[in-house]
Structures are given as structure tokens and as C-alpha cells.
Amino acid sequence: MSHRRAVSILAALAGAGLLVATLWAARPAQVLELARRTSVEGLVLGFAWATAVLLLRGLRLGLLSGSRLGVTRATAVIASSQLPVIVLPMRLGELAFFPALRAAGIRGGMRGLGFLILTRALDIAALLLWALAVGLWMGVPGLATAAGLAAGAAVAIYTALRVTRAARRLLFRARHGSAWRRRLIVQGLRVRRELIWITRSPWRAAVVVACSLAAWAGVWQLTLALVHGMGLTWSPAAILLGVIGAAMGASIPLNAVGSFGTQEAGWAAALATLGVAPSAALAAGFASHSWSVVFAALHWIVAAPFLWLRHRRQHLPKRRP
């Protein structure tokens, strides 16, 4: 067994252990009770916000694609890939983005990887800004918060630059290689050209950034609608802090079933700083997370057949008159 595979298996086992531990602490009966008593109004409002977040991310992907994807197709790509991300272990769901993008008419693994990395970087940057905002809003010392977030942003930007440079060196080393390597170079250069095109248009760059920020605001409102629909009266600021903690927890690569377990751990840890009991926070986290999976499944049911039919029509042989 290779070292990498052994590490992956250990990480999956650790994620499964964390999931079992957090679910046990949340008490499954309490989770089911909160999910069951969520009001219809909360569910409708939550689904509306989930759809708004989906549309915002679809608009962003459409702009990042250099207008090669319309909002409808880009939204379908996001909707088709977000469910696997939520339910599959060890980030394997990320792989669903590539066939969805291909079905929408964008070919090239390097190009898809570029879009995926860029959207994740934008999400991280937007989350850092929201963390700074909530820190100042809730009275956290502004200087310490700003310094910590600036350090995190610097590390993220440095890592992204190093990855970009390494990818560029790899591409140009392979420029005299086989045909598939040359295609990778062409795709990589196209991604670079598209990114330059985005940055040269101030309004497009502004819309991309605004969509990233607004998407996190939508996730906040989605969670707020579900939590209040369960009858819990936590403040909007507390729920925003919990959302930020959940997002940071979900980034930990210990996922047995999507981000279940790690996301709830981050959520509960953030709310614990405000005095919320861990068991209550974990139960609300699991219940709202489960409803989010339902919303993602509903979006997938619509988007996946749409992309499949479009892909099939594109590859049907044309009939001769």
C-alpha cells in the first residue's frame, strides 16, 4: 500500500470517527426533532436562499468562463456538482465539476481545474472579509482580527501564486512533449487569457467579487431561516459567526460523508464562544446541514437531466436532408 493511500484511509477513518462523535454529542433524536419541527415558512425561505446562492455562483462561473457559459448553463454546472461535494467523502465530489462543465460545452481538464481553483480562492477571500466584518460587528478587537485575517489572506495568496507558478513551469517544460501535453499547454494558456480578460474589465471583476460576497450572505440567510424555523432564537450575528466557523471546519480534509462532522464541529466551536451549549449547537448544525442536502438534491434533479439532454443533443449525428 502506498504512503498516500494509507494517509487517505487514515484521514477517512478519522473523519468517520469525528462524525460519529459529533453526532453522538448532538443526540440523533434531538437532531431528528429539530429537522421535523422546522416550519414550512423556514423551509420555503431556506430553499429560496439556497436557490439565490446557486444563481450567484452560476453568474460568477459564467463571467469567469469568458461568457462562454450563459447563466443557465453555468448554474446547471454548479447545481450538478454541489450535491456530490456535499455527500461524497474526501472531496471526491469535486471531480463531478469536470464532466458537468464538459456537458455544458467547456472542454479541457486544465481549464476546468483553473475555474475550480479560482472559484475556491474567491470563496476563501470572501469568507475572510465576512470574518473580519463579523469580528468588528461583535466587538472583537479590530486590530487583532484584521492582523489574523491579513496573515491568513497572505498565506492563501502566496500559496495560490506558488501553485500557479508551478503549474506554469510544468506546462512549459512539457511544450515539446506529446500531443496531449501540448493540449494541456493550450488549455492552460486559455485559462490565463480568460483571467487576464476578467481583470482588465473593472465591472466584470467587481461583479465576480460581489457574487462571491453575496453568496456567503445568502448562506448566512439560508442558515438563519432554517435555525429560526426550528424555533431557535439565536441572533443573526451569532448565526453568522457559526456559518464562518462551519466553513472553516468544512475545509479540514477529514471527511467521511461530505463535510458532515467537520462542518458541525466548526459551527459548534464558533457558537461555544458565545455560550451556546455544544449539544444544542451540534443538533442545530446537523439538522440545518441535512436540509441543505435536500435543497441541493432538488437542484440536482433539475440540473443534471438538463445538462445530460444538452450534451446528448450536441453529440447526436445530424440527419441529412
Side-chain angles (χ1 to χ4, degrees):
M1 181 185 297
S2 66
H3 175 71
R4 180 178 296 180
R5 182 163 185 172
V7 170
S8 298
I9 292 174
L10 289 175
L13 291 174
L18 179 62
L19 173 58
V20 171
T22 51
L23 188 57
W24 177 81
R27 297 196 296 271
Q30 187 177 359
V31 174
L32 291 174
E33 173 61 21
L34 286 176
R36 184 194 62 80
R37 79 182 192 193
T38 308
S39 66
V40 175
E41 180 183 357
L43 291 175
V44 171
L45 189 58
F47 182 71
W49 279 112
T51 304
V53 171
L54 179 64
L55 291 171
L56 286 167
R57 288 175 173 165
L59 174 60
R60 182 180 66 178
L61 178 60
L63 290 172
L64 292 176
S65 70
S67 298
R68 289 177 175 84
L69 287 176
V71 176
T72 301
R73 279 187 293 151
T75 303
V77 170
I78 300 297
S80 297
S81 57
Q82 69 178 358
L83 181 62
V85 170
I86 293 175
V87 299
L88 292 181
M90 302 304 297
R91 296 289 180 180
L92 291 176
E94 301 280 6
L95 297 176
F97 180 76
F98 299 97
L101 198 62
R102 182 181 179 86
I106 301 292
R107 298 185 178 183
M110 185 64 71
R111 182 179 296 179
L113 182 61
F115 291 150
L116 187 60
I117 292 173
L118 185 57
T119 53
R120 294 296 177 264
L122 287 167
D123 284 336
I124 292 171
L127 183 64
L128 288 171
L129 289 175
W130 273 109
L132 175 60
V134 74
L136 297 175
W137 181 14
M138 300 187 70
V140 178
L143 183 60
T145 304
L149 292 174
V155 171
I157 293 171
Y158 174 78
T159 303
L161 289 175
R162 294 295 298 177
V163 170
T164 302
R165 290 173 183 172
R168 186 175 60 184
R169 286 197 300 267
L170 181 62
L171 286 172
F172 279 97
R173 283 177 186 173
R175 64 185 181 274
H176 298 303
S178 60
W180 70 268
R181 290 183 177 179
R182 288 195 295 270
R183 286 196 295 271
L184 283 179
I185 294 174
V186 172
Q187 293 168 14
L189 293 176
R190 285 176 179 171
V191 171
R192 180 175 178 271
R193 183 178 60 195
E194 289 162 359
L195 295 181
I196 292 174
W197 178 75
I198 287 290
T199 57
R200 284 180 178 175
S201 176
W203 77 267
R204 286 192 182 91
V207 173
V208 166
V209 172
C211 286
S212 302
L213 290 169
W216 281 116
V219 173
W220 171 32
Q221 291 301 311
L222 158 65
T223 310
L224 184 65
L226 291 175
V227 170
H228 284 182
M230 295 171 193
L232 302 174
T233 57
W234 298 340
S235 69
I239 293 176
L240 178 56
L241 182 64
V243 167
I244 293 170
M248 293 181 176
S251 65
I252 299 174
L254 298 175
N255 310 110
V257 181
S259 57
F260 277 99
T262 54
Q263 181 171 314
E264 283 71 23
W267 162 269
L271 290 176
T273 62
L274 303 178
V276 179
S279 61
L282 286 170
F286 273 109
S288 59
H289 195 171
S290 299
W291 279 120
S292 295
V293 173
V294 173
F295 298 157
L298 293 174
H299 289 144
W300 183 89
I301 288 172
V302 176
F306 168 79
L307 286 179
W308 180 78
L309 290 173
R310 184 191 180 280
H311 182 71
R312 187 180 179 188
R313 285 198 303 267
Q314 292 292 324
H315 290 81
L316 283 176
K318 296 182 179 179
R319 296 181 178 178
R320 294 182 179 180

